[in-house]
């Protein structure tokens, strides 16, 4: 981690492909790291479950740098497809606590791995994965798509993002406790 994450808006679906072009435009800016956060989920097709990796913030990426002015200047060569996100009237980084929260959920490839849990007495209990001890952030679960929708604060506003979540079973508290003991 260099220092701070600045947000760049790109055409949705081009988050990975645009990195070399932006890298060439910013080749004179030292210590720029481009980050496209992703999440891992499972999807069923052809009768089997397959792991999928999807972009966490479609249409956005981060640049980790301490040289924000140089980045801002270098991005001027791009059309509307690539533009810096100005927060609060300027090209400012996301808040440190927001960055730390995202990093705490990600692996070293900036991916949020699949979490696994159960519905116990109508409440989500996550047994493994980045959502463990964070189930209060989950506002919606789609068991069929194996995703959870989280509410998190980013850019100073509440945002919803999808992450991977496999809910194994719906249990009563007694059933869950019996399984935990055995």
């Amino acid at each position: 981690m260099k220092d701070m994450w600045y947000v760049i808006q790109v055409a949705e679906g081009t988050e990975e492909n645009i990195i070399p072009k932006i890298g060439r435009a910013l080749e004179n800016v030292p210590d720029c790291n481009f980050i496209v956060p992703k999440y891992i989920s499972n999807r069923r097709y052809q009768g089997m479950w397959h792991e999928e990796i999807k972009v966490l913030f479609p249409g956005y990426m981060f640049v980790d740098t301490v040289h924000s002015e140089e980045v801002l200047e270098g991005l001027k060569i791009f059309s509307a497809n690539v533009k810096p996100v100005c927060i609060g009237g300027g090209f400012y980084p996301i808040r440190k606590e927001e960055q730390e929260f995202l990093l705490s959920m990600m692996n070293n490839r900036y991916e949020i791995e699949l979490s696994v849990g159960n519905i116990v007495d109508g409440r989500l209990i996550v047994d493994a994965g980045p959502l463990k001890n964070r189930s209060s952030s989950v506002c919606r679960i789609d068991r069929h798509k194996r995703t959870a929708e989280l509410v998190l604060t980013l850019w100073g506003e509440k945002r919803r993002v999808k992450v991977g979540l496999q809910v194994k079973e719906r249990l009563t508290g007694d059933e869950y406790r019996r399984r935990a003991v055995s």
Side-chain angles (χ1 to χ4, degrees):
M1 182 169 72
K2 308 291 184 271
D3 195 54
M4 295 182 221
W5 289 6
Y6 294 82
V7 185
I8 299 173
Q9 186 175 13
V10 298
E12 194 170 316
T14 67
E15 297 88 359
E16 287 287 337
N17 301 336
I18 199 80
I19 289 175
K21 292 177 186 173
I22 295 174
R24 284 191 296 278
L26 301 178
E27 66 186 356
N28 295 327
V29 181
D31 298 323
C32 279
N33 183 28
F34 301 103
I35 301 165
V36 179
K38 298 182 178 121
Y39 70 94
I40 300 171
S41 68
N42 287 329
R43 185 170 159 220
R44 188 177 177 94
Y45 54 91
Q46 298 176 342
M48 297 177 60
W49 286 100
H50 301 267
E51 186 177 274
E52 290 190 338
I53 300 174
K54 298 182 179 181
V55 174
L56 186 64
F57 304 108
Y60 294 92
M61 61 184 292
F62 298 100
V63 59
D64 184 3
T65 186
V66 294
H67 304 284
S68 62
E69 291 302 318
E70 291 92 332
V71 169
L72 193 58
E73 191 61 35
L75 293 177
K76 287 182 179 177
I77 67 163
F78 290 96
S79 65
N81 296 12
V82 177
K83 59 184 175 186
V85 175
C86 293
I87 303 164
F91 189 49
Y92 301 117
I94 64 172
R95 294 184 173 122
K96 202 71 166 165
E97 60 271 11
E98 296 167 351
Q99 180 179 332
E100 288 169 0
F101 179 79
L102 287 172
L103 281 170
S104 73
M105 292 186 58
M106 294 180 196
N107 61 24
N108 60 355
R109 294 178 309 278
Y110 301 106
E111 299 167 340
I112 298 177
E113 294 176 355
L114 181 73
S115 294
V116 179
N118 295 289
I119 303 290
V120 180
D121 291 335
R123 276 189 6 194
L124 173 65
I125 296 186
V126 179
D127 299 315
L131 292 180
K132 188 172 183 170
N133 301 320
R134 292 188 173 107
S135 57
S136 62
S137 297
V138 175
C139 65
R140 184 174 179 275
I141 298 169
D142 187 332
R143 289 185 69 186
H144 299 288
K145 292 184 178 179
R146 292 193 175 181
T147 58
E149 219 171 87
L150 300 182
V151 174
L152 55 92
T153 302
L154 196 58
W155 302 296
E157 297 177 9
K158 297 283 185 197
R159 304 214 181 256
R160 289 179 174 228
V161 295
K162 286 185 183 177
V163 296
L165 171 67
Q166 177 186 353
V167 175
K168 294 200 286 188
E169 295 182 273
R170 189 178 289 272
L171 304 168
T172 66
D174 290 337
E175 291 171 324
Y176 182 75
R177 284 187 286 284
R178 276 196 299 273
R179 291 183 184 194
V181 171
S182 55

